[in-house]
Amino acid sequence: MVPARLPARPALHADVIRGFTPNWFTAVMGTGIVSLTLPHLPVAGAAAAGEALWWLNMTLLLLFTVLSAARLILYPAESRATLHHPAQSMFLGAVPMGLATVINGLIVFGVPHWGDGAAQVARTLWTLDALLAAATGLLVPYLMFTRQDHALERMTALWLLPVVASEVAAASAGLIAPHLGAAQAAPLLVGGYVLFALSVPIALMLITILLLRLAQHKLPGAEVGVSMFLPLGPLATGALALLQLGHAAPPALGTLGLADLAPVFSGFGLLGGLILWGFGGWWLALAALTTRRYVRGGLPFNLGWWGLTFPLGVFTAATFALGEQSHLSGFTHLGWALTGVLAGLWIMVAARTLRGAWNGSLFAAGAAPRLP
């Protein structure tokens, strides 16, 4: 008697899981930052739209986490290959950064609905996010130095992704701390500045090397052309982190016996944030010029296009923070304009991502080679 055969697993499902790489978490980053900037618009329904996107973003984060776990279990060889891949491994930093946008939403949207309980949940999740960010910022460079194949002429701004996660967590600490008691806020404040130190100096070093690479070897290929926007991310996030940590510092410093230093922290946050924001503005203009050049020759779509959203989003958030702390309305008006551009980019990239996910092309492109 011939035993009955079990039904084969649908090939489409297998391709989705096998080809699911950390690149997809950039969609969580991009969607999350749009949800957090929309409430700043003086338009009826903007805050509700932002909250709806936040709920969508939590769904995406959960779905992508499940798919990542399934890939790790069902295709361990491909999962190990991602760690060794010189480009895909960089996107591991997108995981804690995507989580940070959901955590920030607990403050922006959760606290008005659920009160202090939402802030406590955000604080707990922030601890996990900070550990993931610090680990990614150490592990991926270690793999770059020991297992991966890199060269200056092949360098892209993707190198920034693993280290930027720590400063995103630092900015989250500054957002969460004012909603906690001073005793609870103090560890977040200290942790935020440490995370800033684990990220921004390294990011500035990488940007310096990237400038050298661009001057010597010109622009990278069109398939990674949108990556020219990525250096805007650490500059803008660094500015936002200093602004939010400086704003949160005074109450927390009192519990540490450092109340007299509160004006120093606040002033340093505003000054440092303004300097990094200005640097980011220069890079935004440069990225716009280079992208215009790429568009003329054809710019193929891939998940890297989400690199248009998160860097611009954190630059927009830093612009709003500067407007609030400097009391200069010009920053606020610029933030409104940037939010409109950001929303338009999100709609375009989200639509093309849905199309690529539906026809399977984005999963096929994401499949990493097996390890020998």
Side-chain angles (χ1 to χ4, degrees):
M1 183 176 179
V2 179
R5 291 185 177 181
L6 294 174
R9 183 175 52 200
L12 176 60
H13 294 174
D15 289 343
V16 167
I17 296 174
R18 183 175 180 179
F20 192 85
T21 57
N23 310 43
W24 282 92
F25 284 89
T26 58
V28 179
M29 295 167 55
T31 302
I33 196 63
V34 174
S35 74
L36 296 170
T37 55
L38 283 177
H40 290 278
L41 289 178
V43 178
E51 184 173 352
L53 277 182
W54 176 61
W55 283 102
L56 171 63
N57 205 41
M58 284 194 289
T59 303
L60 291 176
L61 178 63
L62 179 61
L63 173 63
F64 293 172
T65 301
V66 169
L67 288 173
S68 297
R71 184 176 189 247
L72 183 63
I73 295 169
L74 298 176
Y75 301 101
E78 282 79 358
S79 298
R80 291 196 303 272
T82 295
L83 293 176
H84 294 256
H85 196 284
Q88 289 180 7
S89 60
M90 302 298 152
F91 288 94
L92 290 171
V95 178
M97 285 191 279
L99 175 58
T101 64
V102 171
I103 294 170
N104 293 351
L106 283 169
I107 300 300
V108 176
F109 305 111
V111 169
H113 289 313
W114 307 308
D116 293 341
Q120 293 297 327
V121 173
R123 180 181 67 88
T124 301
L125 289 176
W126 177 85
T127 302
L128 172 63
D129 185 67
L131 292 173
L132 285 174
T136 302
L138 179 63
L139 173 64
V140 176
Y142 174 77
L143 292 173
M144 292 174 69
F145 304 158
T146 59
R147 303 291 181 87
Q148 300 173 0
D149 180 26
H150 293 277
L152 180 62
E153 63 271 17
R154 299 198 303 272
M155 179 195 186
T156 68
L158 293 177
W159 286 20
L160 290 162
L161 287 176
V163 301
V164 174
S166 288
E167 62 184 273
V168 174
S172 294
L175 182 65
I176 298 169
H179 298 272
L180 304 174
Q184 285 187 316
L188 263 73
L189 183 72
V190 173
Y193 280 110
V194 171
L195 288 165
F196 182 93
L198 293 178
S199 178
V200 175
I202 303 171
L204 292 175
M205 288 189 284
L206 288 173
I207 291 173
T208 302
I209 299 170
L210 180 62
L211 284 171
L212 174 64
R213 176 255 179 269
L214 292 170
Q216 289 192 343
H217 303 286
K218 308 310 175 189
L219 295 175
E223 67 278 2
V224 290
V226 177
S227 69
M228 286 295 294
F229 275 89
L230 292 181
L232 176 61
L235 299 174
T237 308
L240 183 62
L242 286 179
L243 287 162
Q244 293 187 163
L245 287 170
H247 177 71
L253 289 174
T255 66
L256 300 175
L258 300 172
D260 292 343
L261 293 179
V264 176
F265 278 71
S266 300
F268 175 70
L270 181 57
L271 177 60
L274 183 59
I275 291 172
L276 286 174
W277 182 90
F279 189 179
W282 179 86
W283 199 281
L284 175 59
L286 177 66
L289 287 173
T290 57
T291 302
R292 180 172 177 269
R293 183 183 181 93
Y294 279 118
V295 169
R296 289 178 177 177
L299 192 60
F301 178 76
N302 52 51
L303 287 173
W305 279 41
W306 284 101
L308 290 168
T309 55
F310 189 77
L312 181 60
V314 289
F315 185 76
T316 303
T319 304
F320 281 125
L322 279 171
E324 292 169 1
Q325 295 191 29
S326 69
H327 306 291
L328 296 175
S329 61
F331 285 113
T332 302
H333 294 156
L334 177 59
W336 293 342
L338 290 171
T339 302
V341 174
L342 177 63
L345 287 173
W346 181 86
I347 292 171
M348 176 190 68
V349 177
R352 301 196 68 169
T353 301
L354 284 173
R355 185 189 310 167
W358 180 260
N359 61 34
S361 60
L362 291 178
F363 295 106
R370 287 179 178 271
L371 288 173

